[in-house]
Structure formats: C-alpha cells, structure tokens
Amino acid sequence: MKLLRFGRDFKPDEKVILRDYLAIERTRLANERTLLSYIRSSLYLLLGSIGFFQLKDFPNYIYMAIIALVFCVLFFIIGIYRFTMLKRSLKKLYYMSEELQSSK
C-alpha cells in the first residue's frame, strides 16, 4: 500500500502566493498526463492481448494473452486510483490554502 500513497501531507502554514497556486496547477496537469499514460499503456496491452488471441497456430500463446489482459485491467485500475487520490489531495490542499488566505 505504501507504493500507492503520496508522501507526507503538506499543510500550508504561511500565506500562499501566486507561485504556489501555479505549482498546484502544474501538479494537476502532470497528474492528468500520468493518467493518460496509464490508459495508453493499458490500451497497448489490450492490443497485444488481442494479437496473441488471434494466433491460431500457436496455442501456447493463449497464456500470454491472458496475462496481458490481466495487466491491462490492472494498469487501468491503478491509473484511475492514483489519479483520484492525487486529485483529492490537491483539492484538499487548495481548499486549506484558501481557508488560510481568508482567515488572515
């Protein structure tokens, strides 16, 4: 489970400036790019799995097709999970910084 966590929780303790907002936005965009790369890898594995299923002359490749299909689903689920966890973390950080701004 440690692999799927995102380090320590950051709590803003001083005034958040424009640079910090831009850093949050860059992280959000990087999170979306990472999700797209997980989806792309998942689709490549799906295509490979379909290709292995199409090989009728080599029946032993059916096991490779099943393994590729399992990894396809696994990559997709991990990608969605990591995307949602980081998105929640960024949203919490953004709202904490907004509360800090309004209280000062």
Side-chain angles (χ1 to χ4, degrees), residues 10-16 93 96-97 100 104:
F10 174 75
K11 294 181 179 153
D13 55 352
E14 16 179 277
K15 186 177 178 182
V16 178
L93 174 66
M96 284 173 39
S97 65
L100 187 65
K104 287 188 177 183

PDB file of all heavy atoms in Angstrom, residues 10-16 93 96-97 100 104:
ATOM      1  N   PHE A  10       1.019  17.757   3.173  1.00  0.00           N
ATOM      2  CA  PHE A  10       1.519  19.120   3.239  1.00  0.00           C
ATOM      3  C   PHE A  10       0.418  20.004   3.786  1.00  0.00           C
ATOM      4  O   PHE A  10      -0.716  19.955   3.328  1.00  0.00           O
ATOM      5  CB  PHE A  10       1.930  19.589   1.846  1.00  0.00           C
ATOM      6  CG  PHE A  10       2.327  21.027   1.801  1.00  0.00           C
ATOM      7  CD1 PHE A  10       3.544  21.435   2.299  1.00  0.00           C
ATOM      8  CD2 PHE A  10       1.480  21.974   1.267  1.00  0.00           C
ATOM      9  CE1 PHE A  10       3.910  22.756   2.263  1.00  0.00           C
ATOM     10  CE2 PHE A  10       1.832  23.298   1.223  1.00  0.00           C
ATOM     11  CZ  PHE A  10       3.054  23.695   1.731  1.00  0.00           C
ATOM     12  N   LYS A  11       0.751  20.835   4.757  1.00  0.00           N
ATOM     13  CA  LYS A  11      -0.213  21.775   5.324  1.00  0.00           C
ATOM     14  C   LYS A  11       0.383  23.169   5.212  1.00  0.00           C
ATOM     15  O   LYS A  11       1.419  23.443   5.810  1.00  0.00           O
ATOM     16  CB  LYS A  11      -0.501  21.431   6.779  1.00  0.00           C
ATOM     17  CG  LYS A  11      -1.207  20.116   6.908  1.00  0.00           C
ATOM     18  CD  LYS A  11      -1.517  19.787   8.318  1.00  0.00           C
ATOM     19  CE  LYS A  11      -2.246  18.463   8.310  1.00  0.00           C
ATOM     20  NZ  LYS A  11      -2.118  17.715   9.465  1.00  0.00           N
ATOM     21  N   PRO A  12      -0.243  24.028   4.436  1.00  0.00           N
ATOM     22  CA  PRO A  12       0.309  25.379   4.290  1.00  0.00           C
ATOM     23  C   PRO A  12       0.204  26.136   5.602  1.00  0.00           C
ATOM     24  O   PRO A  12      -0.839  26.174   6.235  1.00  0.00           O
ATOM     25  CB  PRO A  12      -0.574  26.015   3.211  1.00  0.00           C
ATOM     26  CG  PRO A  12      -1.817  25.221   3.203  1.00  0.00           C
ATOM     27  CD  PRO A  12      -1.465  23.849   3.666  1.00  0.00           C
ATOM     28  N   ASP A  13       1.302  26.734   6.039  1.00  0.00           N
ATOM     29  CA  ASP A  13       1.305  27.457   7.301  1.00  0.00           C
ATOM     30  C   ASP A  13       1.589  28.943   7.113  1.00  0.00           C
ATOM     31  O   ASP A  13       1.610  29.688   8.062  1.00  0.00           O
ATOM     32  CB  ASP A  13       2.315  26.846   8.272  1.00  0.00           C
ATOM     33  CG  ASP A  13       3.705  26.776   7.677  1.00  0.00           C
ATOM     34  OD1 ASP A  13       3.851  27.048   6.473  1.00  0.00           O
ATOM     35  OD2 ASP A  13       4.637  26.445   8.415  1.00  0.00           O
ATOM     36  N   GLU A  14       1.814  29.349   5.889  1.00  0.00           N
ATOM     37  CA  GLU A  14       2.016  30.764   5.633  1.00  0.00           C
ATOM     38  C   GLU A  14       1.148  31.177   4.457  1.00  0.00           C
ATOM     39  O   GLU A  14       0.451  30.370   3.885  1.00  0.00           O
ATOM     40  CB  GLU A  14       3.481  31.100   5.355  1.00  0.00           C
ATOM     41  CG  GLU A  14       4.384  29.972   5.029  1.00  0.00           C
ATOM     42  CD  GLU A  14       5.792  30.428   4.755  1.00  0.00           C
ATOM     43  OE1 GLU A  14       6.051  30.843   3.616  1.00  0.00           O
ATOM     44  OE2 GLU A  14       6.614  30.360   5.662  1.00  0.00           O
ATOM     45  N   LYS A  15       1.251  32.441   4.137  1.00  0.00           N
ATOM     46  CA  LYS A  15       0.456  32.981   3.046  1.00  0.00           C
ATOM     47  C   LYS A  15       0.832  32.300   1.725  1.00  0.00           C
ATOM     48  O   LYS A  15       2.006  32.153   1.398  1.00  0.00           O
ATOM     49  CB  LYS A  15       0.701  34.488   2.942  1.00  0.00           C
ATOM     50  CG  LYS A  15      -0.164  35.177   1.942  1.00  0.00           C
ATOM     51  CD  LYS A  15       0.101  36.657   1.984  1.00  0.00           C
ATOM     52  CE  LYS A  15      -0.760  37.345   0.933  1.00  0.00           C
ATOM     53  NZ  LYS A  15      -0.511  38.769   0.895  1.00  0.00           N
ATOM     54  N   VAL A  16      -0.187  31.861   0.998  1.00  0.00           N
ATOM     55  CA  VAL A  16       0.034  31.186  -0.280  1.00  0.00           C
ATOM     56  C   VAL A  16       0.065  32.257  -1.370  1.00  0.00           C
ATOM     57  O   VAL A  16      -0.842  33.081  -1.484  1.00  0.00           O
ATOM     58  CB  VAL A  16      -1.081  30.164  -0.552  1.00  0.00           C
ATOM     59  CG1 VAL A  16      -0.880  29.502  -1.891  1.00  0.00           C
ATOM     60  CG2 VAL A  16      -1.116  29.126   0.555  1.00  0.00           C
ATOM     61  N   LEU A  93      -5.593  20.401  -0.400  1.00  0.00           N
ATOM     62  CA  LEU A  93      -4.539  21.395  -0.230  1.00  0.00           C
ATOM     63  C   LEU A  93      -4.999  22.766  -0.710  1.00  0.00           C
ATOM     64  O   LEU A  93      -4.761  23.777  -0.064  1.00  0.00           O
ATOM     65  CB  LEU A  93      -3.285  20.973  -0.987  1.00  0.00           C
ATOM     66  CG  LEU A  93      -2.134  21.978  -1.013  1.00  0.00           C
ATOM     67  CD1 LEU A  93      -1.582  22.162   0.386  1.00  0.00           C
ATOM     68  CD2 LEU A  93      -1.071  21.519  -1.965  1.00  0.00           C
ATOM     69  N   MET A  96      -7.454  24.155   1.779  1.00  0.00           N
ATOM     70  CA  MET A  96      -6.771  24.558   3.009  1.00  0.00           C
ATOM     71  C   MET A  96      -6.057  25.885   2.807  1.00  0.00           C
ATOM     72  O   MET A  96      -6.066  26.739   3.693  1.00  0.00           O
ATOM     73  CB  MET A  96      -5.762  23.485   3.431  1.00  0.00           C
ATOM     74  CG  MET A  96      -6.406  22.270   4.065  1.00  0.00           C
ATOM     75  SD  MET A  96      -5.287  20.912   4.408  1.00  0.00           S
ATOM     76  CE  MET A  96      -3.820  21.667   4.964  1.00  0.00           C
ATOM     77  N   SER A  97      -5.462  26.072   1.636  1.00  0.00           N
ATOM     78  CA  SER A  97      -4.766  27.336   1.390  1.00  0.00           C
ATOM     79  C   SER A  97      -5.769  28.477   1.235  1.00  0.00           C
ATOM     80  O   SER A  97      -5.489  29.601   1.640  1.00  0.00           O
ATOM     81  CB  SER A  97      -3.891  27.225   0.146  1.00  0.00           C
ATOM     82  OG  SER A  97      -4.674  27.032  -0.996  1.00  0.00           O
ATOM     83  N   LEU A 100      -6.776  29.486   4.705  1.00  0.00           N
ATOM     84  CA  LEU A 100      -5.685  30.223   5.328  1.00  0.00           C
ATOM     85  C   LEU A 100      -5.672  31.665   4.820  1.00  0.00           C
ATOM     86  O   LEU A 100      -5.453  32.598   5.593  1.00  0.00           O
ATOM     87  CB  LEU A 100      -4.360  29.524   5.039  1.00  0.00           C
ATOM     88  CG  LEU A 100      -3.136  30.091   5.762  1.00  0.00           C
ATOM     89  CD1 LEU A 100      -3.280  29.885   7.252  1.00  0.00           C
ATOM     90  CD2 LEU A 100      -1.906  29.406   5.255  1.00  0.00           C
ATOM     91  N   LYS A 104      -6.597  35.288   7.291  1.00  0.00           N
ATOM     92  CA  LYS A 104      -5.573  36.313   7.584  1.00  0.00           C
ATOM     93  C   LYS A 104      -5.991  37.667   7.111  1.00  0.00           C
ATOM     94  O   LYS A 104      -6.743  37.979   6.363  1.00  0.00           O
ATOM     95  CB  LYS A 104      -4.244  35.928   6.947  1.00  0.00           C
ATOM     96  CG  LYS A 104      -3.622  34.789   7.685  1.00  0.00           C
ATOM     97  CD  LYS A 104      -2.242  34.550   7.167  1.00  0.00           C
ATOM     98  CE  LYS A 104      -1.612  33.428   7.986  1.00  0.00           C
ATOM     99  NZ  LYS A 104      -0.269  33.167   7.610  1.00  0.00           N
TER     100      LYS A 104
END
